[in-house]
Amino acid sequence: MNFQNIDKYIDLNMDASLADLARLVAQPSVSARREGLVECADLVVELFKRRNFQIQRFENDGAPIIIAERKGRSDKTILFYNHYDVQPAEPLRLWKTPPFELSRNDGRVFGRGANDNKGNIVNRLLAIDALLAENNELPCNVKFIIEGEEETTSEHFGPFVQAHTELLQADACIWEFGEVDANDLPLQFLGLRGILYVELEVETAKRDVHSGTGGSIIQNAAWRLVWALNTLKSGDEHINLPGFYDDVLPPRREDIDFMAALPDNAADYKKRFGVKEFLNNISGGVDLAVAEAFLPTCTICGLSSGYHGQGAKTIVPAKASAKIDIRLVPNQRPEKVLRQLREHLDKHGFEDIRITVLSSDAPARTDAADDFIQLVVKTSGEIYEQPMKIVPMTGGSGPNAIIQDALHIPIATLGIGYPDCRAHAPNENIRLDLYLKTAKHITRILSEFGKTKD
Amino acid sequence: MNFQNIDKYIDLNMDASLADLARLVAQPSVSARREGLVECADLVVELFKRRNFQIQRFENDGAPIIIAERKGRSDKTILFYNHYDVQPAEPLRLWKTPPFELSRNDGRVFGRGANDNKGNIVNRLLAIDALLAENNELPCNVKFIIEGEEETTSEHFGPFVQAHTELLQADACIWEFGEVDANDLPLQFLGLRGILYVELEVETAKRDVHSGTGGSIIQNAAWRLVWALNTLKSGDEHINLPGFYDDVLPPRREDIDFMAALPDNAADYKKRFGVKEFLNNISGGVDLAVAEAFLPTCTICGLSSGYHGQGAKTIVPAKASAKIDIRLVPNQRPEKVLRQLREHLDKHGFEDIRITVLSSDAPARTDAADDFIQLVVKTSGEIYEQPMKIVPMTGGSGPNAIIQDALHIPIATLGIGYPDCRAHAPNENIRLDLYLKTAKHITRILSEFGKTKD
């Protein structure tokens, strides 16, 4: 493989790749509003058809799921996961350029989806174009699974994957995103916590009652909710669900070593969030990094009951609700924690509190020692000044456990992000230098992966 | 005193009295929006000047307070408390007639303030007109104190009364409102609970933090609030402030007897509020009535933190707040309970929770055995089919303790209300038959009161 030619191709064809990106960005595809999803899926299909990928398109009542595959020289298969839906562009007044129009300025391009995740789709295609231009054949089989509901909890993705494991068979997966850190060092994220996000609701009367009348005689929904929530977690942050910690795997020695090699976020977090200290008497450094990613949590994300406006309104609220985000670590399972939550509430006399699941993902992680991860990290050293730094687990969540549970393959992360890329925010953007590096890195991965044997 | 003449005068002059009411109603005076308060005060002053009352008008930065007095034959003085401000008319679409236009239909008149409290002002003036028409002189001295901030916690009323006790000297007071029950039996409300209405607020960071990052490391304002609230009241409704119950006077034997003579609200409340049972295992009857009025309470009226919208938003909220309504019974004092609240929060480690007082009134009550109350009840027997029923205490609150603490006089309630008068709601209205009865009752009270000696 002549990587000089390949890199030259990527440099020379970046503008054509960005033209593809411009077409995708110009088609709003906001899954939260079900806006333009079918149209954007059409554009994605067209991009892959042009490269002689074999397309299967699966309709559902959310957004089409696209499988695009192309055979390569070896019998090894890489599966790329991407999505073509985007977050809403609001608040619009904070955008410096129109969000659905790709704008280039000073080495960056701006637009909703430029990074998350349309930019990564076309970036991967640029790498594939370069390999095909050089060799007329891909070094290994390549499959893409591209959905359109990632920004709204991937409702149809899980059932789809479970129903199509044969079709999706692969040897390794590259996840949708990746990024460099503030010093431009590329990161390899190997794990995501799981999540069980529920709404708890209680209704004690058919309408609010004047508190002069009802204060001492009518059950108050807000009090019910407060008392129920109070049983869930103690002031020392201990989560009281029965058996909640039974399946928790503590971080391994090597996880802690990887975390210790990352920059200390303490000063940055204190400044950014305006806090003087962290929970659990953590001062910073590896303790902070480990707590952030390796502890399961029970977070109240929202509370609502009765009157929120200015001044005094004297009522006994009939309804109260809370949004609760429970983050899970290996080997916890959201369906088991949901049962624990129901059991706990019932045991404490809160049978009247309804639970509605709004989001659910299992935790997932890939071993740093895995051959594919080693290959991804090693090849990054040819592109960046230093090879990727391992981040064994992050605090966030995502649907990667769906792939891992169904296919039992390693999942690497790789993409064009950087700390100021503003995914989900106004002025989302990518850096073109990183765009080129990421595409070049992908050509090395596919090339090396094609050479591997079982 | 020829009450036949007086009653005839009242019957014949009701329309003129309603014309006065129409002018007051046509002038919106919404204290919540500081709308039309000075203009409405002008109209009220004009009504009293026309009757040769001596007027003093006190300006403040809320709404003018009006003192109107006229000497009578005896040296006894009755003080009427009223207010000229009204609740907002919203929601407007639910009104069948324009809210700020007095409309007459089928024995009733409709309009914002028709009952609360403009109707009571002109009703009292109709009684005074009748007495003057008959005798050219009032049987006793009459003073009115009329404020314009009653619907927004009477901010300037307390300090004004404390600063003008000499000016307000009187022997008895008649409060702004009164009503008949569902069987048209007039009620005499002798007590109101006090209230301490506070907002509790906590702020743990300068902005919300993504829960994937902050869930296990950043203090969560919603959790702080839940844990703090949980300490305030136990699931058995016991309020845990230190010394909270020390000053509570239990209802007396006669209070319970009065309560037992009132209709049982249990079935009505269950249907109206859609509840199957009441707190504290109360089934109804006198237990329900006593609990409603004689128990102090701690009610969460509102809870707010983080995200309340549809679906899942994954944040650690930086701010949380609760509106808390603490109802007080004799002899509790709001300023003392406020100190108990601060002390309690501090003791439990919640020094970070801010308390803002939104409303504060002491409890107040007048003895049923008081001579003036007896006079009011006895004279009601001449007008209604039965004399007034004593309600020794109600669950609601109001600023009557301000008058009682400053002047140490009995306070009777008397007015034109009835169960469907819809005060504070769309289609506020009064019944004209009750309008006439109330005015006639007032003439008897003033006449008898003029005859009393110390």
Side-chain angles (χ1 to χ4, degrees), chain B residues 221-234:
Chain B
W223 273 119
R224 289 292 294 163
L225 184 68
V226 163
W227 290 327
L229 290 174
N230 182 69
T231 66
L232 293 183
K233 190 165 87 163
S234 311

Side-chain angles (χ1 to χ4, degrees), chain A residues 153 193 195 197 199 204-220 222-223 225-227 229-237 269-275 277-280 282 287-288 291-317 320 323-325 327 358-359 394-397, chain B residues 153 193 195 197 199 204-220 222-223 225-227 229-237 269-275 277-280 282 287-288 291-317 320 323-325 327 358-359 394-397:
Chain A
T153 75
R193 287 192 294 192
I195 187 171
Y197 194 110
E199 182 140 22
T204 51
K206 76 176 178 190
R207 64 178 177 84
D208 296 342
V209 179
H210 192 293
S211 58
T213 302
S216 37
I217 59 173
I218 303 292
Q219 183 73 262
N220 181 320
W223 273 119
L225 184 70
V226 163
W227 290 327
L229 291 174
N230 182 69
T231 66
L232 293 183
K233 189 166 85 163
S234 313
D236 61 1
E237 300 289 325
Y269 284 2
K270 283 182 180 175
K271 188 176 165 211
R272 190 147 36 119
F273 306 137
V275 298
E277 52 195 16
F278 301 110
L279 292 176
N280 299 313
I282 288 168
D287 292 345
L288 184 67
E292 177 179 333
F294 279 101
L295 285 181
T297 64
C298 177
T299 299
I300 300 175
C301 298
L303 271 184
S304 178
S305 182
Y307 180 68
H308 310 155
Q310 281 269 307
K313 187 173 179 186
T314 48
I315 53 169
V316 175
K323 308 223 184 221
I324 306 289
D325 169 359
R327 299 284 172 147
L358 297 180
S359 181
T394 59
S397 303
Chain B
T153 76
R193 288 192 293 192
I195 187 171
Y197 194 109
E199 182 139 23
T204 51
K206 77 176 177 190
R207 64 178 177 84
D208 295 343
V209 179
H210 192 292
S211 58
T213 302
S216 37
I217 59 173
I218 304 291
Q219 184 73 264
N220 181 320
W223 273 119
L225 184 68
V226 163
W227 290 327
L229 290 174
N230 182 69
T231 66
L232 293 183
K233 190 165 87 163
S234 311
D236 61 2
E237 300 289 325
Y269 283 3
K270 283 182 180 175
K271 188 174 165 213
R272 190 144 40 116
F273 306 137
V275 298
E277 51 196 18
F278 302 109
L279 291 177
N280 299 314
I282 287 169
D287 291 345
L288 185 68
E292 178 180 332
F294 279 100
L295 285 182
T297 65
C298 177
T299 299
I300 300 175
C301 299
L303 272 183
S304 178
S305 183
Y307 180 66
H308 309 155
Q310 281 270 306
K313 186 173 180 186
T314 48
I315 52 169
V316 175
K323 307 223 183 220
I324 307 289
D325 168 359
R327 298 282 172 150
L358 297 179
S359 180
T394 59
S397 303

Side-chain angles (χ1 to χ4, degrees), chain B residues 42-117:
Chain B
D42 291 344
L43 292 178
V44 170
V45 165
E46 188 195 307
L47 288 179
F48 282 89
K49 274 200 178 149
R50 215 197 295 157
R51 276 122 181 141
N52 293 317
F53 274 69
Q54 186 190 330
I55 310 289
Q56 293 182 70
R57 176 176 168 146
F58 298 85
E59 306 295 332
N60 57 54
D61 62 10
I65 292 173
I66 299 161
I67 306 289
E69 38 187 332
R70 186 176 162 134
K71 293 278 174 207
R73 193 178 321 136
S74 90
D75 58 359
K76 292 280 178 180
T77 305
I78 277 196
L79 177 66
F80 287 96
Y81 166 76
N82 288 92
H83 62 91
Y84 58 82
D85 61 319
V86 296
Q87 285 277 323
E90 285 76 9
L92 298 178
R93 61 184 175 79
L94 297 183
W95 283 83
K96 290 176 188 161
T97 59
F100 296 109
E101 191 181 311
L102 198 70
S103 308
R104 186 165 172 171
N105 182 27
D106 197 21
R108 298 193 289 177
V109 297
F110 294 79
R112 173 55 86 229
N115 172 72
D116 181 13
N117 185 239

Side-chain angles (χ1 to χ4, degrees), chain A residues 427-440:
Chain A
N427 306 309
E428 180 176 349
N429 71 92
I430 52 175
R431 271 169 44 189
L432 296 178
D433 59 333
L434 296 172
Y435 193 81
L436 295 174
K437 282 181 174 168
T438 305
K440 291 172 187 174

